[in-house]
Amino acid sequence: MLMIKDISIGRYYQGDSILHRLDPRVKIILCFFYMVTVFMMTTVPGLLATFAVVVFLCILSAIPVDTILKSVRPIVFLLLFIMLLNVLTTRTGHPLFSWWIVKITDEGVLRAGLMALRLFLLILSTSILLTLTTTPLLMADSLESLFGPLKRIRVPVHEMAMMMSIALRFIPTLVEETDKIMKAQASRGAEYDTGNVFMRARGYVSVLVPLFVSAFKRAEELAIAMDARCYRGGEGRTKLHVLHMNAKDYFWFSFLSCLCFALIFIDLFVKIS
Amino acid sequence: MNEKEKGTDYTNMLDKMKKKFFGSDETRRRMSTRKMTSLALLAALATILMYLEIAIPVVVPSFLKLDLSEIPVLIGAFAFGPGSAIIIELIKNLLHLPVTSSLGVGELANFLAGSIFAGTAGFIYRKYKSKKGAIAGLAAGTIAMTVFTSFLNYYFMLPFYAKLFHMPIDGLVAFGTAVNVYVTDLKTMIIFAFVPFNLFKGLIVSLITALVYNRVSPLLHGRKRLHSGQPETTPPVTQD
């Protein structure tokens, strides 16, 4: 059977640090800045400086180190694959080890290490700034605020954010339901992971049909409940928690983006000299 | 006779008044509440199915892994049109970003490929609302997706990966040659490895979608009402 209960959306870590309290819109923009910066890093000193900054962010977030390191798990395969390719295909530099067609050089090892470090920093900075310190619901809210100007050109920004929130709310419910239906159909003889692809597809259909029926039913109930409470779309709708930038948010935004530019300058300086 | 006509007149008047005060759904808002909640729930289902792929341990080679998350998007395309399908696709990928295993590149590719697939299928089905139309839509969608992803991989994805991570294409091609002798360079790799894989994936997903939509559509088109809030008499469970 599939481990469907293990699914958890996002990886928010409950806390009350500076980064947790920072305005989520600031965090999204900073996250973008840091991604671009890490991509641009090509020199060893540049990467080491970035590493120092990321460690500083870790300290700011006040999240235990093992939790932070766990966020790297989804890209471990990509990381190993890229390292392996880099080590095996680099032919220049002094050979360290050579056997049959395999030839490992010091340059290849260095390059693989740099690539791995870069990828590692990339995933770390994004997860500390965003996924670990911001709830998915808050993220949906801030996306609505950030993309608000697109409402002018008739992009349904409010509706999209609303749908994201609804989807987030119903994912646990539907996961539980999927689990229930899969067990119910398995007890009637449905098969999901045995037999050929077509037999498996039949098993999936027996789960998907009741699942879709239930989802549409929930959607209709929710729509009626929302209409009954006079939901009229985004225009003129008020909120309980309004996102508001204060002095601290401005300070951290300018400080952390300055840090970003400093890193780019270090990298450029090393490259020129 | 006269009474009856008066009766219908009243309902017409009521409708007109309703439209005057609240506006029809089209003029008042871009999307009715029911459509919005339906799309949200479809996006939730799609996200769950996308997460499932990670939950399944990687014992089966990626060739046999089915991308089930495309199914709710296709159902959405049939039920609400191609634009709605793209919205579902976008929400699904946004919700999947926190656990990305490829730094968002995979999500971007999935969004583009899925939008083409479901968009084409939904567009054709909207023109020809019949079983044949649905099958033609799914077939055209599969082909469009395959062609599009081939170009995307050749001109954008693979060079992008190569540049980003110094990943040599030759190394990748060598891996391909080991599996399939016809693979000699990037072009043949796409033709002999990616195209059959995408066609096969599209075929399976289309098949499941057709079977599911066949059962679900009467309920969507009001031939079978969803009695919400009332005690269920017959639970809508299939007999597979």
Side-chain angles (χ1 to χ4, degrees):
Chain A
M1 273 306 269
L2 307 171
M3 306 298 236
I4 195 164
K5 283 267 165 95
D6 292 349
I7 293 173
S8 67
I9 301 295
R11 35 186 92 247
Y12 178 66
Y13 183 84
Q14 185 81 40
D16 193 34
S17 68
I18 294 162
L19 284 181
H20 280 85
R21 271 174 285 149
L22 199 60
D23 192 296
R25 289 168 294 179
V26 168
K27 281 190 271 190
I28 290 177
I29 297 169
L30 281 175
C31 191
F32 181 72
F33 280 179
Y34 274 84
M35 274 185 91
V36 174
T37 309
V38 178
F39 271 136
M40 283 170 69
M41 289 298 142
T42 44
T43 61
V44 181
L47 273 170
L48 288 178
T50 317
F51 184 70
V53 170
V54 170
V55 169
F56 172 65
L57 286 177
C58 289
I59 294 165
L60 271 188
S61 72
I63 294 172
V65 179
D66 56 330
T67 312
I68 292 176
L69 287 180
K70 262 184 206 152
S71 65
V72 184
R73 213 164 24 177
I75 60 148
V76 162
F77 273 111
L78 184 68
L79 208 79
L80 289 177
F81 184 65
I82 285 164
M83 277 178 81
L84 198 72
L85 270 184
N86 267 303
V87 168
L88 291 182
T89 55
T90 308
R91 295 277 179 228
T92 51
H94 299 287
L96 293 177
F97 174 80
S98 162
W99 173 73
W100 193 37
I101 52 165
V102 180
K103 189 178 160 199
I104 295 171
T105 64
D106 56 349
E107 209 180 305
V109 172
L110 182 74
R111 201 186 247 179
L114 283 182
M115 281 304 127
L117 182 63
R118 201 161 87 159
L119 210 60
F120 181 70
L121 290 176
L122 202 62
I123 199 83
L124 227 52
S125 60
T126 51
S127 59
I128 290 166
L129 275 170
L130 218 53
T131 47
L132 282 171
T133 57
T134 318
T135 58
L137 264 180
L138 211 54
M139 247 189 276
D141 250 17
S142 46
L143 279 179
E144 179 182 0
S145 167
L146 277 176
F147 288 98
L150 289 180
K151 279 176 192 162
R152 295 261 172 87
I153 53 166
R154 298 188 64 78
V155 177
V157 177
H158 165 76
E159 280 80 1
M160 303 262 285
M162 193 72 183
M163 282 189 271
M164 256 180 101
S165 318
I166 295 172
L168 282 169
R169 158 66 185 80
F170 277 95
I171 281 170
T173 318
L174 287 177
V175 165
E176 212 164 283
E177 199 139 309
T178 313
D179 199 47
K180 223 160 76 187
I181 293 171
M182 279 178 89
K183 280 182 184 144
Q185 298 293 46
S187 76
R188 291 176 175 87
E191 288 175 85
Y192 315 117
D193 29 38
T194 48
N196 64 27
V197 183
F198 292 96
M199 277 158 83
R200 254 182 258 180
R202 250 191 76 196
Y204 289 137
V205 171
S206 73
V207 174
L208 287 172
V209 171
L211 198 57
F212 274 107
V213 170
S214 144
F216 280 124
K217 209 165 170 176
R218 278 178 200 282
E220 181 147 319
E221 276 170 13
L222 182 64
I224 291 169
M226 281 167 79
D227 279 340
R229 286 160 182 78
C230 296
Y231 174 73
R232 280 269 174 277
E235 229 105 306
R237 189 165 175 262
T238 55
K239 276 186 178 155
L240 181 57
H241 302 290
V242 184
L243 290 175
H244 187 71
M245 293 276 287
N246 57 31
K248 260 187 189 163
D249 293 326
Y250 284 114
F251 167 72
W252 283 108
F253 177 62
S254 37
F255 178 67
L256 290 176
S257 39
C258 281
L259 225 50
C260 236
F261 290 122
L263 288 176
I264 294 172
F265 275 122
I266 290 174
D267 194 54
L268 281 179
F269 188 74
V270 172
K271 224 185 278 176
I272 291 164
S273 61
Chain B
M1 189 70 190
N2 212 358
E3 296 272 294
K4 248 186 189 170
E5 265 180 26
K6 247 187 186 170
T8 49
D9 250 353
Y10 277 135
T11 49
N12 268 341
M13 251 169 73
L14 209 72
D15 269 359
K16 271 182 195 162
M17 269 167 73
K18 253 189 191 165
K19 264 190 188 157
K20 202 167 182 183
F21 284 109
F22 301 118
S24 68
D25 265 343
E26 280 74 32
T27 56
R28 194 182 74 224
R29 274 190 269 135
R30 271 159 250 160
M31 208 183 275
S32 73
T33 315
R34 182 166 178 265
K35 184 177 165 187
M36 199 180 80
T37 53
S38 302
L39 294 190
L41 269 283
L42 284 174
L45 268 184
T47 313
I48 293 170
L49 292 172
M50 203 168 174
Y51 268 80
L52 255 184
E53 275 166 37
I54 302 175
I56 300 171
V58 200
V59 231
V60 272
S62 57
F63 274 91
L64 291 173
K65 213 167 65 179
L66 296 172
D67 189 17
L68 293 174
S69 76
E70 247 24 278
I71 296 165
V73 185
L74 283 164
I75 299 276
F78 284 163
F80 300 103
S84 307
I86 293 172
I87 290 179
I88 300 175
E89 190 72 46
L90 183 63
I91 293 174
K92 172 188 96 179
N93 281 303
L94 277 177
L95 293 179
H96 196 261
L97 268 184
V99 292
T100 176
S101 54
S102 59
L103 300 166
V105 183
E107 275 72 20
L108 181 68
N110 183 295
F111 170 68
L112 293 173
S115 297
I116 296 275
F117 190 0
T120 313
F123 185 75
I124 290 176
Y125 184 66
R126 194 161 65 176
K127 286 262 165 83
Y128 309 98
K129 282 217 187 243
S130 63
K131 243 169 219 178
K132 268 186 194 162
I135 291 165
L138 288 169
T142 303
I143 292 164
M145 195 247 315
T146 307
V147 171
F148 178 75
T149 47
S150 303
F151 278 104
L152 191 73
N153 275 316
Y154 187 73
Y155 287 106
F156 179 68
M157 282 311 174
L158 291 173
F160 182 70
Y161 264 117
K163 191 143 181 82
L164 201 59
F165 306 119
H166 288 256
M167 196 160 84
I169 297 275
D170 306 338
L172 213 62
V173 172
F175 274 113
T177 315
V179 181
N180 188 334
V181 277
Y182 294 109
V183 175
T184 48
D185 59 357
L186 194 57
K187 238 177 218 161
T188 50
M189 183 162 93
I190 284 181
I191 292 169
F192 291 110
F194 285 43
V195 167
F197 170 54
N198 275 320
L199 279 177
F200 180 71
K201 214 173 79 174
L203 179 80
I204 295 293
V205 168
S206 298
L207 186 78
I208 297 179
T209 307
L211 289 174
V212 171
Y213 189 68
N214 196 21
R215 302 268 186 82
V216 177
S217 71
L219 193 133
L220 277 169
H221 295 122
R223 267 178 272 157
K224 233 190 263 169
R225 285 299 296 170
L226 289 169
H227 293 287
S228 42
Q230 281 176 14
E232 291 170 34
T233 44
T234 47
V237 178
T238 53
Q239 307 256 300
D240 257 33

